[in-house]
Each structure stands twice: as structure tokens, then as C-alpha cells.
Amino acid sequence: MAAETGDEAFVVFDRVQKSYDGAVLVVKDLNLDIEKGEFVTMLGPSGSGKTTCLMMLAGFETATSGTIRLNGKPINNIPPHRRGIGMVFQNYALFPHMTVGENLAFPLQVRRMGKSDIDAKVRRALNMVQMGEFAARRPAQLSGGQQQRVALARALVFDAELVLMDEPLGALDKQLREHMQYEIKHIHKNLGITVVYVTHDQSEALTMSDRIAVFNDGVIQQLASPEELYERPGNAFVAQFIGENNTLKGTVKAMNGQRATVRLDNGDTVSALAVNCGHADNRTTLSVRPERVFIGARGDLPVTKAAVKELIYLGDHIRCRMEVYGTDEFIVKLPNAASHIHLTEGEAVDICWETDDCRALDG
Amino acid sequence: MHLKTLLTGAAFAALMAGTAPAKDLTVVSWGGAYTKSQTEAYHKPWAAMTGKSIVSEDYNGGLSEIKAQVEAGNVTWDVVDVELSDAVRACDEGLAEEIDMSVLPPAPDGTPAAEDFIKGTLDVPCAVPTIVWSTIFAYDSEKMADGPTTIADFFDTAKFPGKRGLKKSPKVNLEMALMADGVAAGDVYAILSTPEGVDRAFAKLDSIKSEVVWWEAGAQPPQLLADGEVAMTTAFNGRIFNAVAAEGKPFEIVWDGQVWDLDLWIIPKGAPNKETALDFIAFSTDTQRLADQASWISYGPARQSSAPLVASYNSRPDLKMAPHMPTAPENFRNALQNDFEFWADNQDELNERFNTWLAAN
Amino acid sequence: MIDTTRTDPKKTLPASDGTLLRKKLHRVLLRSRLRAFGLVVPLLLLIIMAFLVPVVLFLVRAVYNDTFSSNMPNVTPMLAKWDPASEPTEEMYAALVADLIKTREDKSIGRVATHVNRQLSGTRSLFTSTARRAARLEAPFKRALISIRKEWGEIKTWHAMKIAATTYTTAYIARAVDMQLNADGSYSARPEDRRIHVTLFLRTMEISIVVTLMGVVLGYPIAFLLANLPVRTSNLLLILVLLPFWTSLLVRTTAWIAMLQGQGVLNDLFVIFGIATDEHRFSLIYNKTGTLIAMTHILLPFMILPLYSVMKTIPPSYVLAARSMGASPWTAFWSVYFPQSIPGIGAGGILVFILAISFYITPALVGGQDGTMISNFIDFHMRSSLDWSLAAAMGLVLLVIVLFLYWLYDRVVGIDNMKLG
């Protein structure tokens, strides 16, 4: 993205590698630019290297090779406490022996700020997260959500331009988590800070981020906006990891511009959008989102036979497991609309999808 | 009183309850080379003669265990080797059985036991003496060629520089201090009975206080000498002899100003095998047995008739035991017998004063 | 507003089978409580029988001694009534003679004499020698007794008997703190050359406190290291910390003697490196220094283990958070990590202090002149002087001191602030 030093991005990972034991690379050749004011999420399964990247940015881990630049300056050799980066931890890391107010005052005190300034800033930060009345409480007297707000306020109270969040909502229940997601999003927008957010929850990443970097095996698989990522996954891992996905394994028979003709493992042939399936004779994975499958024929789309195996009622939609092209793990989501089609288990139906919704990815 | 005794007894019994192995007699003594000398001279021949078995236990002296056993009514010891002061006290306080001295065999020449034992040693009605032991002082002849010869030399750190080992107790130390200060052995207790005498003894001790290494267990002094921790130290004569005879240490004993004492057998009140115990005591204190013991350790037999029978050290026929006995005439010239009566009367006060003196810098 | 005739609904809420809910709940809870209690009964009995009862019975000796009163039935009530400012009467002399004859016969004279001798040195032989001749004495007994030993005419002999004759007495506790109980019930300080116990109590405190502090200073970094190393390494090191437990206390103490004595390893090294001359080697043992070194070493694991287990529970993210907020490593440690490890210091400190205050074998072996502690004297009175009442009184005073310090700790630090893991 960025090219010259003059208008380089706010945070730059430049060919960063990390190894703990000198044998295995946990992070392999990471390049990532984050613009000022951006909300970037590092998403990936555990062990994918996302947290290591965050820790290198915070200064708690050193990069084995490559440089990390903040605001144009290499920060590899700057200790964490001189980086001025705010951080929110998974377990909040609120100091149990201090009150909420003291917790917030801590970063200001180590900066030798005057008492009245500290008081004003602490009050403002607490009000921002609607915790103004809790300054005298101890963290142990707060609920999980309240502790999370305090942790957030503490990371923001010293006006850090960059705030790192390491799975901050992991310990909250679903409802509270969703609520906090919006709140963090709003704070990000209001303050104009840059946020680097780590999570393994893809829906959380989709909700909050400007861009998402999908990590797997120490490598960024795809860096894109949520929509791009969901609609146009770049490879099979991303397609599988983001949202729900039906996969069909096969071999490319022929390439025709944007289209690929694929012979599936059960012998049938399907036409798909060629994304990165390479050329003929390559193994490929076809990806079809469950909500993009139609029941019955539609226009001149090619139909295929399917057998209904199982129906699960989920309120807003119905999940239907079907046997399609020799696999019985094929999922179709039927919206619970006024006029939706009623299926019964064991029934044989025709299904079809837009050729562009069937993406031929790497094998 | 009764309820308390009962409860104390119950509590101690709960603490001490344990099943004893099959045995005919439990004999308790001080351990180490001393118990070995008794085992060789008394236990083995007695067991061979009677066919009975002896369990030998070690203890650290004092009457506390006997007192606990007697008060709890759960006595497991049959015969205990004690010092004179403890023998008298055990007898006075009803912790020991009275012994009928007529069971003691006469000397081989027919002298009755009452006359054969060293004069004044058979006065405690509950105890039969076995040995005469002595507190002497010793030095390493390799490190001090021209060594000390009198008790006064022990307190003379100008003439004989170096650390001194002393037992951490006023007993013996006060007597030695007075003898070093020129008091004749016969006058020591008379002078020590006056406040001025006590002050005088402490003043003498004070003159070497900064050089003293205090020992508590009998095994310590030979070790202190061997390690070069002290230039000279008081010690029990048998321990030093043992280091010389068995380990070849170049230690030299100075007998001048020795303070001698007795070890005696007692039978704790209510001992489980009283009759057997009596039999064992009579056997082990006959002339031959006491003489035999002296070939294992250099403590003098309590019977006069044993002295001529004392032979050589068990493993070294060249090492005659007689000159190493506290009772040998040349060793006995300036010797003092520990006065039990004096210490029984004054030990509380003198212990307190000694410890206060020790704690003051 | 309040209808007083209505009963409290809480008390009348019925359970499904019609019985009162409260009662039912109570019964269910009672059953589970009884079951829980049943589980601890064996241990409880063991503690009561083998610990609590003996300890209490022994401590009772600190204020109770009937050696005189139970063996001298005639003179005891007279002594109790007697005004110590007045001369003893002929009647009292007569009663004394009767008691002496009785104690000679039932062989309790030794115990009585020893007991009185603790009040006044020299009375032991006075009693035993007089008792031997008591049966031949004739009235007037006052003159007869004085003619045997002039001490019978001295008022201090009778004062000592009056004190010894009291069954319930504070005399021993007074002696444990270097005071003495006088015959008229007043207290006075003991003669200066016999004041030893207060010095000892203070020294015991001093040694225990220094050992505890040394334990914190030495143990904290080790515990910190253990808590922050990978589990494999820390387990190995933990075994090293526990290793001393597998060796007898005696062996460890003796090893210190070999290390620290004048001709020992450490002093040899000092001489080799020119820190000390061969003639003036350091006195590292048989004094307070030796006691402090050996006790600190022996008690160190008791400091490290609670500290370690507390530190193990401090999430590393606290320090990371502090660092990210701008705290230097030292500030992050001091204002965030350290306060959270205080419960471990509290637990380890109390453990080490309480163990140290009653330490006995080590000071006995390496304490020498000024490194022995109060427990060594309790032991002395238990085993050598057989003055169990004084031993009990000293133990009682020690117990009171420990309880007081415990209370103080609770007030200052708070006992809840102690965590063993």
C-alpha cells in the first residue's frame, strides 16, 4: 500500500518474522500497513500468529527479523513503556489492589501529570464508558462488562493514538459482547484513534473492522474489508473460516476466462467462478455460501438433485442439511420468510446457484 | 490431684503408646562408645548366661523421660544408666525403685560389696554405681609441643593462647575456675557456698569468656580439638581416651583439677521387669564385669577389687588401661568429687546466674 | 400499616409435603453438616487427644503446683493464714515437724525439698537433712529445729515455704518474665545477675524477625524466578528448593558447622582470598551469626513455597498492562506486581516467624553463647532442671507473645490478606 517514507502508513510491519526456538517460524514474512484512524482486526485460529504480531507491536515480543515502524519510526528497540500504545487485555488486567479511579490514574501518574489534570482526565475517560460513578469501586466489585469498560477507559485515558486489543470481549456472554462491540466501534469513531484488534471470532471481526487480516500458519491469508472478505474469499481457508461455507472438492477440467469447469470427485461436472484455482488439472475447492443456494429451478441456472437429510429450525432461518454431489454435509439456509418453501426430511428436491456464487479456490 | 494425674497419664499414654518388641529387659544408656563398652562387658555375657534378651536404648541423660513414664504409669525402661545427681534426685522424688544392696555379690576375696565399692558411692538407696568418670581438660600435642600441665594453665590465655572449649553449664566450670584461682580441691565447695566464692569463680571464668567455645554434647570436645577450633577443651576423659586409642588422635589429657563423678544403674519406679533388672544389675556390677568394661573405655570401675583386674585396651594389648583411669594414683592427686548435695541446693540459682552471665556481652 | 396478627410468611411457607419449608431445609442442612462433621471427627479427636489436651494440661502447670500443699497437709493451711510480716509460731513449727516426718515416710520429701529450693537456694538440703532427724525431735519444736539448722529461724525460709505452699500461683509466670513473687503477695524484680528470661525473649524475637526478613529478601527473587520460568525448568528448581526437606535437620545444621567454623570451608576461603588473616578468622558459628545463617537456610523453603504459589496466581498480563501504560519495569514491578505478592509474603512471613520463634535444635547446636533462644531454656527446664512449672510458664508467655503478634498482624495487615496458594 504505502510506498515512500513521506506518506508511509501509521503502523508498518515490514518483512517481520518471529521464531521462539530458532527452528519454527511463528510469523512468516509479515507485511502489513495500518492507516491512521483505521480499525484493523487480526483474525485467525489460535496459534496462527495473530497474538504474537500484536505483542511485537506492543513491545512485549521482539521481532526476529524485519522492522516495525510506528509513525515512520522503527520501534524495534523501544521498550514497551516508551511506545505510548494503549492496550486492552483479554482478562482486562485491572489491578485488583487499586480502585477503578486509581487504575485509570496509573498511566497518568507514571507520566508525572498534575493531580488536577489526572482527576479531570480520569473523570472524562470514565464518563466516556458510562462508568463515572464507579471510580471508588474495586475491580472485583464490578461485573465483567463493567470491568471491560474500565479496561477500555484505562487504555484510552492517556490519549494513546494507537490502541491494541487482545480478544477483549472473549470472557463476556453473547449479548453483552455484541453490545460492547458497538460501543467500542463508536468510541473508535468518536476519538479517531487507530485500533488493532485481535480475535478468533469472525462475526466480531466482521462487525467491527474497517479491514480484517485473516491469519493462518503465520501468514496473512487475506487482508480486506469485511464485505470483500465474506463475499470474495481469496482462498479456501478464508472461505472456510469466514462465515459458513459448503465445500466441494474436485479437479479443474478447463478454464474459460473467469469461468472454470470442474469435475467433482463424484464424477459430476460443475461450472464455477475461477478465483485462484490455477489452471487445468489442478485440484480445487468449490465454495458455495449456504444462503446463496436456491431451492427449485431458477431461470436457466443449472440445477442439481439434492436429498433433504435434516431440518433444523433456527427462528429467523431454517438450516437444511442435504446430500449433494455425493456429500451429505451440504447446508442450505432457508430464510423464514412469509412465503418460504416447506421441505420435509427425506424429500428429493432440485437446487441451483449463480455460477459467480460458486467460487473455485485453491485445493 | 487425682483427676489431674489421671488426665496427665492418659495424655502421656496417648503420646507414648507403642507396642514393644518381645524382650526380657530394656537397658537404657548414653550411646556411642560408652554403650558399646557396656554391651561387650555386661549385656553379652549376661545374655549368654541367662539366655534372656536385652534391648539397648540410647538417651541423652536427665530424668525427664523417666519422670514422664512414671507419671503416666507407662514405664517401658527397666534399667537406666544415670549420673549421681540424677540418681539421688530420682530416689528422692520416688522415680526409682529402692534396691536391696544385699543382692550384690562380694569381691572374689570375700570382701562384702558394701566395703568393696569405693567409699561413699553406695549411699544412694536406689542406685548401684558402675564407673567413675571425670571431667578433665585436653589439648592437641601436635599443635602445642610444650603443653599445659595444671588447671591454672587452662585459664592462662597469655601463656597458652587460643580458644577454650567449656561445657555450657555452671557445674564443673565453677569448680575448675576456683581451683585454677588457687583454691585447694578440698575447699572448693566451702568457698563456692559463699556469695564471694561464686563471684570469684565467675570472675575467673570472665577472664577467658571471650575465648570460649561452649559445648553441650560429650561428642563435641574431641571434634573441636580435631578441627582445631579450640586450643584446649574440657571433656569427659573417656571421650578423649577413645579418640586417642581408637582413632589415633594426638590428644593429651591434663588430670590436674579433674572433677570426678559416678554413673549408676537405677530401676525406674514401676519397671515392667523389675526382678530381671535386679538380676542384671547384680551381675553387671560384680568385680570381673566392672574390670572388663574398663578394657573398652577408660572409666574407672566403682569396685576397688576390680582395679587389679583391669587389663589392656581391647584391640591393643600394648595399651595398658590402668594409667588412663581417673582413679589412677598419679591422676588422682588434685581431684575433686562433684558434690551432689551442693548442686542440688544451688543449681537453680547458679544455672540462672550462669545463663545471665553468658547472655551478657 | 403492619398487620401484627399476620405471621411472618417466611416462617410459615410450607414445603410440598406440608411440613414447614424452613424446618425441612434445616433438617436437610443438618444432615449434610453432620456428614461433613463425621469426616473430620478422626482428625479432630487426634488433635484434641494428642495435642490440645496435653498442651492445656501442661500449660496448667504454669499456675498450678500442689507439690507442697498435697504433701505437707498440716503446715500448708497455717502458712496460708500466716502474716508474713510476723514471726512463725510454735504451732507452725510443730505442724512442720509432723509434715517432715510424714514426707520422710512416704518418700515425698525429695519432691517437696526440690520445690521449696526453687524459691530459696539451699533449702533442699535443709529439708532433707532435717527430715531424716524429724522423728527424734521433741517439743518445743521451734528451738529443736533451729538447733539442727539455724536457717529454720530465718524468716526467708518461711517466706519461701509460704510461696511454695500456694497451689494456684503466679510465681512461675513472674519468674518467666524475671520478676519474683514475694511472700506478702507483691512482685519485685529479680536480682540483676539472675535476670535472663526477658533478654532471651527479646533475643528470640530479634532472631525470628531477622530470619523472617532475610527469608523475604532471599526467597522473593527465587520465588519470582520459579513462578516465571517454564514449567519444566521451574519444577526442577522447585525440587532443589524442596531438597533440604529430604535431609535431616541435624545433618543440615551439622553441615553448616563444617562450613562456618573457624577452620571451616568459608573461613579457609576468606584466608585464601586475603579477606581474613589466619590468626583472626571470622566467628561465624557458635554465636548469633551462626544461628541466623543456619535458621535462615533451614526456613527458607517455608518462605519460598507460599510466595511461589501466590506469585503463580498473578497473571503476567498485570505487568504487561502496566508497561503498556508507560510504567518502567521497576515501577511496574513495585506498584503492580509487588502489592499482589504481599499475601504470599504475609503467609510465608507468619509461617517462618512462628517456626523460628520455637526453633530449638539449630540454636542449641550452633547458638553458642549469644545465639540460643527461649525454647532452648524451656528444653533445659524440661529435661535438666525438671522445673516443669517454670517451663510451662515460659511456654505460656511465648504463646501469649505469639498470639499478640498474630493479633497485631491482623490489625495492621489483615489476616484475610494471607494466602497459602
Side-chain angles (χ1 to χ4, degrees):
Chain A
M1 244 172 258
E4 291 142 46
T5 343
D7 56 2
E8 196 185 63
F10 186 49
V11 177
V12 176
F13 284 87
D14 188 3
R15 310 191 55 127
V16 171
Q17 292 186 317
K18 175 72 186 177
S19 172
Y20 287 104
D21 53 6
V24 179
L25 282 175
V26 183
V27 174
K28 301 167 184 161
D29 193 32
L30 180 83
N31 292 288
L32 176 63
D33 291 4
I34 298 166
E35 298 296 332
K36 205 159 192 154
E38 223 183 347
F39 194 122
V40 172
T41 298
M42 296 175 171
L43 175 67
S46 52
S48 60
K50 57 189 194 305
T51 300
T52 306
C53 283
L54 195 77
M55 289 298 167
M56 285 194 285
L57 183 52
F60 300 131
E61 300 282 2
T62 49
T64 310
S65 79
T67 43
I68 302 170
R69 284 191 293 276
L70 178 64
N71 231 347
K73 278 177 253 135
I75 54 169
N76 291 39
N77 295 320
I78 297 178
H81 62 281
R82 300 238 175 80
R83 293 189 181 189
I85 298 174
M87 186 146 180
V88 182
F89 291 84
Q90 183 170 16
N91 53 9
Y92 323 131
L94 295 179
F95 307 145
H97 59 295
M98 297 182 187
T99 63
V100 166
E102 287 164 351
N103 261 285
L104 263 72
F106 182 83
L108 307 174
Q109 275 161 354
V110 300
R111 288 176 168 75
R112 304 193 189 288
M113 225 172 248
K115 185 155 176 14
S116 55
D117 284 356
I118 292 180
D119 287 348
K121 276 179 179 287
V122 167
R123 206 173 318 117
R124 197 166 37 152
L126 281 178
N127 286 337
M128 185 172 64
V129 294
Q130 289 104 47
M131 291 291 291
E133 308 133 54
F134 296 91
R137 297 265 189 102
R138 297 253 170 187
Q141 297 167 303
L142 302 179
S143 71
Q146 290 170 327
Q147 292 187 32
Q148 183 53 62
R149 285 162 202 264
V150 174
L152 191 60
R154 194 177 65 173
L156 298 169
V157 72
F158 58 98
D159 300 324
E161 291 186 326
L162 175 61
V163 177
L164 313 183
M165 302 190 188
D166 184 11
E167 310 216 16
L169 307 180
L172 302 181
D173 63 50
K174 186 169 183 291
Q175 210 165 356
L176 195 56
R177 190 159 66 222
E178 281 167 6
H179 180 76
M180 286 302 297
Q181 286 168 5
Y182 293 119
E183 216 160 306
I184 292 174
K185 190 75 194 149
H186 292 154
I187 289 169
H188 164 247
K189 208 166 270 173
N190 292 342
L191 296 180
I193 52 173
T194 310
V195 176
V196 180
Y197 194 101
V198 163
T199 183
H200 63 268
D201 179 342
Q202 41 109 354
S203 81
E204 190 167 294
L206 294 175
T207 311
M208 304 177 77
S209 317
D210 293 329
R211 283 191 300 154
I212 298 171
V214 181
F215 275 71
N216 190 38
D217 202 17
V219 172
I220 295 183
Q221 303 289 330
Q222 191 173 2
L223 175 64
S225 68
E227 186 190 347
E228 175 87 13
L229 214 54
Y230 188 87
E231 299 291 344
R232 289 178 284 282
N235 59 29
F237 175 81
V238 176
Q240 191 66 36
F241 196 74
I242 306 283
E244 210 173 354
N245 188 49
N246 290 310
T247 55
L248 300 166
K249 298 277 186 190
T251 312
V252 179
K253 295 305 293 176
M255 297 289 288
N256 180 14
Q258 288 292 307
R259 292 291 148 87
T261 308
V262 175
R263 166 176 282 249
L264 296 176
D265 291 348
N266 72 333
D268 290 327
T269 304
V270 184
S271 182
L273 178 71
V275 181
N276 64 347
C277 57
H279 44 80
D281 292 336
N282 267 17
R283 289 291 291 170
T284 184
T285 303
L286 298 185
S287 153
V288 184
R289 296 284 183 202
E291 68 272 19
R292 296 293 169 90
V293 178
F294 305 117
I295 305 287
R298 173 150 319 190
D300 54 356
L301 294 178
V303 291
T304 181
K305 289 262 178 285
V308 178
K309 290 284 181 196
E310 191 179 8
L311 289 164
I312 298 164
Y313 182 77
L314 284 167
D316 61 338
H317 71 271
I318 294 150
R319 274 171 72 87
C320 178
R321 188 164 63 80
M322 295 177 165
E323 186 179 336
V324 177
Y325 292 132
T327 167
D328 61 357
E329 294 295 332
F330 198 92
I331 304 293
V332 176
K333 278 186 191 170
L334 304 173
N336 191 2
S339 59
H340 77 91
I341 304 138
H342 289 274
L343 297 175
T344 50
E345 284 180 14
E347 185 181 352
V349 290
D350 284 344
I351 59 168
C352 64
W353 53 73
E354 297 277 358
T355 307
D356 282 358
D357 284 338
C358 178
R359 297 167 66 81
L361 305 169
D362 53 319
Chain B
M1 170 71 197
H2 282 294
L3 180 69
K4 206 193 76 172
T5 314
L6 202 69
L7 281 174
T8 317
F12 275 116
L15 277 176
M16 304 201 152
T19 45
K23 83 241 163 166
D24 300 307
L25 200 65
T26 305
V27 179
V28 182
S29 188
W30 303 73
Y34 182 60
T35 291
K36 182 172 166 57
S37 74
Q38 293 176 326
T39 312
E40 296 292 339
Y42 312 158
H43 300 12
K44 283 183 182 170
W46 183 78
M49 188 182 81
T50 60
K52 290 177 177 163
S53 65
I54 294 179
V55 171
S56 177
E57 278 187 38
D58 293 349
Y59 85 133
N60 285 318
L63 291 176
S64 60
E65 282 128 310
I66 297 172
K67 185 173 175 179
Q69 288 187 13
V70 172
E71 284 201 12
N74 181 25
V75 180
T76 56
W77 293 354
D78 295 310
V79 179
V80 187
D81 186 294
V82 296
E83 292 176 37
L84 178 61
S85 56
D86 286 331
V88 175
R89 198 145 50 142
C91 206
D92 276 353
E93 302 195 8
L95 297 175
E97 300 278 359
E98 284 211 7
I99 293 173
D100 175 10
M101 299 301 173
S102 66
V103 304
L104 301 178
D109 62 0
T111 316
E115 286 164 37
D116 194 21
F117 279 91
I118 295 175
K119 194 171 174 318
T121 61
L122 212 53
D123 289 351
V124 188
C126 311
V128 182
T130 53
I131 56 141
V132 170
W133 57 275
S134 180
T135 306
I136 44 75
F137 79 92
Y139 63 96
D140 187 334
S141 62
E142 269 182 8
K143 290 181 184 139
M144 236 188 285
D146 202 9
T149 52
T150 67
I151 186 70
D153 292 343
F154 186 85
F155 286 81
D156 193 343
T157 48
K159 201 162 139 199
F160 298 97
K163 296 262 184 199
R164 302 291 195 267
L166 279 178
K167 186 158 194 260
K168 200 166 159 190
S169 147
K171 208 188 272 187
V172 177
N173 288 340
L174 294 179
E175 289 96 320
M176 282 188 169
L178 282 184
M179 287 192 278
D181 209 28
V183 175
D187 302 334
V188 164
Y189 285 108
I191 288 180
L192 212 48
S193 298
T194 63
E196 300 77 44
V198 175
D199 288 346
R200 185 174 166 187
F202 273 106
K204 189 71 183 173
L205 282 177
D206 223 16
S207 68
I208 57 165
K209 186 179 178 188
S210 60
E211 297 289 330
V212 172
V213 174
W214 300 99
W215 57 267
E216 284 175 88
Q220 281 173 287
Q223 196 59 48
L224 288 172
L225 269 187
D227 290 347
E229 285 296 305
V230 293
M232 48 185 100
T233 178
T234 59
F236 304 136
N237 70 300
R239 298 280 187 170
I240 298 295
F241 174 82
N242 198 56
V244 174
E247 295 165 34
K249 296 275 195 243
F251 299 159
E252 205 62 58
I253 290 179
V254 178
W255 291 98
D256 182 53
Q258 63 153 307
V259 180
W260 63 277
D261 205 337
L262 294 171
D263 261 22
L264 312 90
W265 290 131
I266 62 164
I267 302 173
K269 194 105 188 161
N273 308 300
K274 197 189 156 200
E275 289 309 315
T276 320
L278 209 55
D279 182 50
F280 171 77
I281 288 178
F283 174 80
S284 63
T285 57
D286 73 11
T287 301
Q288 187 57 49
R289 251 37 73 183
L290 291 181
D292 286 350
Q293 191 194 5
S295 70
W296 293 90
I297 200 157
S298 67
Y299 292 132
R303 277 184 192 255
Q304 288 158 349
S305 61
S306 301
L309 302 179
V310 171
S312 306
Y313 187 60
N314 64 83
S315 59
R316 289 171 57 183
D318 61 308
L319 189 60
K320 293 273 176 258
M321 289 303 285
H324 298 281
M325 295 290 158
T327 43
E330 63 275 24
N331 297 342
F332 217 57
R333 244 173 270 144
N334 189 25
L336 174 69
Q337 185 184 5
N338 181 25
D339 182 347
F340 161 71
E341 204 72 51
F342 172 83
W343 281 110
D345 269 352
N346 296 294
Q347 61 181 351
D348 294 320
E349 181 175 344
L350 291 177
N351 269 323
E352 260 178 355
R353 173 147 181 193
F354 178 77
N355 286 319
T356 311
W357 171 79
L358 209 56
N361 285 310
Chain C
M1 274 294 289
I2 301 162
D3 183 358
T4 47
T5 58
R6 253 181 57 190
T7 45
D8 185 352
K10 272 191 276 180
K11 286 183 180 159
T12 55
L13 208 60
S16 55
D17 62 355
T19 53
L20 291 183
L21 187 61
R22 261 171 65 90
K23 249 189 196 163
K24 183 121 178 125
L25 181 69
H26 187 72
R27 209 176 302 149
V28 171
L29 283 181
L30 185 72
R31 214 173 299 146
S32 70
R33 273 194 210 122
L34 277 177
R35 204 177 304 131
F37 183 72
L39 291 173
V40 299
V41 160
L43 181 64
L44 202 64
L45 279 178
L46 181 75
I47 289 175
I48 290 174
M49 284 309 295
F51 181 72
L52 223 50
V53 171
V55 165
V56 169
L57 280 177
F58 195 76
L59 287 180
V60 162
R61 288 172 186 263
V63 291
Y64 176 93
N65 194 318
D66 62 356
T67 309
F68 193 98
S69 56
S70 65
N71 291 312
M72 307 278 274
N74 296 311
V75 75
T76 300
M78 293 182 190
L79 282 168
K81 274 180 280 172
W82 173 57
D83 172 11
S86 67
E87 281 290 313
T89 60
E90 169 64 21
E91 202 188 355
M92 289 164 72
Y93 278 100
L96 176 66
V97 170
D99 282 340
L100 286 176
I101 294 168
K102 174 202 161 279
T103 52
R104 167 121 178 105
E105 276 164 7
D106 65 13
K107 295 196 186 309
S108 57
I109 182 64
R111 261 178 295 161
V112 173
T114 310
H115 183 58
V116 183
N117 194 64
R118 294 207 167 107
Q119 294 304 324
L120 182 65
S121 280
T123 41
R124 189 185 185 284
S125 60
L126 178 67
F127 269 71
T128 47
S129 65
T130 310
R132 277 196 284 273
R133 298 155 70 176
R136 296 195 296 272
L137 291 177
E138 282 171 17
F141 291 110
K142 180 172 181 175
R143 188 182 302 160
L145 280 171
I146 293 173
S147 72
I148 297 178
R149 291 281 290 265
K150 64 177 182 353
E151 287 95 329
W152 289 119
E154 291 170 8
I155 194 79
K156 63 177 182 182
T157 309
W158 287 88
H159 283 170
M161 280 162 64
K162 184 173 167 66
I163 298 166
T166 323
T167 310
Y168 291 93
T169 175
T170 53
Y172 300 106
I173 291 171
R175 269 184 67 194
V177 293
D178 288 347
M179 303 289 284
Q180 63 190 23
L181 177 67
N182 301 316
D184 59 3
S186 66
Y187 296 92
S188 58
R190 284 177 76 72
E192 203 172 346
D193 61 9
R194 295 175 67 178
R195 268 178 236 162
I196 176 72
H197 296 133
V198 170
T199 317
L200 282 170
F201 278 116
L202 290 177
R203 185 195 292 157
T204 305
M205 291 293 130
E206 182 201 331
I207 289 177
S208 306
I209 288 169
V210 173
V211 165
T212 308
L213 292 180
M214 301 257 289
V216 174
V217 171
L218 295 173
Y220 198 95
I222 298 172
F224 183 83
L225 187 71
L226 285 173
N228 289 288
L229 279 176
V231 179
R232 268 176 66 104
T233 329
S234 73
N235 277 350
L236 188 75
L237 290 178
L238 209 55
I239 289 173
L240 292 182
V241 169
L242 292 173
L243 203 61
F245 282 131
W246 303 344
T247 327
S248 113
L249 183 69
L250 217 57
V251 171
R252 277 180 283 159
T253 306
T254 321
W256 274 115
I257 296 177
M259 281 291 289
L260 299 177
Q261 63 185 358
Q263 306 292 324
V265 180
L266 213 58
N267 261 317
D268 285 349
L269 286 176
F270 286 155
V271 172
I272 289 169
F273 290 109
I275 301 166
T277 62
D278 208 6
E279 294 76 42
H280 297 95
R281 287 166 173 248
F282 292 109
S283 300
L284 299 173
I285 203 148
Y286 305 123
N287 55 22
K288 207 189 283 173
T289 316
T291 304
L292 286 176
I293 294 174
M295 279 178 67
T296 303
H297 164 248
I298 287 161
L299 290 173
L300 201 54
F302 295 97
M303 180 60 87
I304 293 176
L305 292 179
L307 263 177
Y308 167 75
S309 68
V310 167
M311 285 176 174
K312 234 6 203 178
T313 64
I314 303 175
S317 62
Y318 287 149
V319 169
L320 297 188
R323 299 284 314 274
S324 78
M325 283 184 268
S328 65
W330 171 250
T331 313
F333 167 78
W334 185 247
S335 50
V336 175
Y337 192 89
F338 181 77
Q340 310 212 45
S341 63
I342 285 177
I345 297 179
I350 281 206
L351 206 59
V352 169
F353 184 83
I354 287 179
L355 286 172
I357 209 167
S358 55
F359 234 56
Y360 139 74
I361 293 176
T362 305
L365 285 176
V366 305
Q369 182 171 320
D370 60 353
T372 45
M373 298 169 72
I374 195 74
S375 40
N376 299 117
F377 280 76
I378 295 179
D379 168 61
F380 171 78
H381 288 298
M382 283 296 296
R383 287 199 301 147
S384 298
S385 79
L386 295 190
D387 194 349
W388 287 8
S389 288
L390 181 58
M394 286 162 74
L396 192 64
V397 172
L398 188 63
L399 184 65
V400 168
I401 290 175
V402 170
L403 289 178
F404 170 75
L405 288 173
Y406 192 75
W407 173 82
L408 201 69
Y409 177 89
D410 189 33
R411 290 295 300 267
V412 177
V413 187
I415 210 69
D416 311 336
N417 219 341
M418 185 178 86
K419 211 157 65 171
L420 284 167

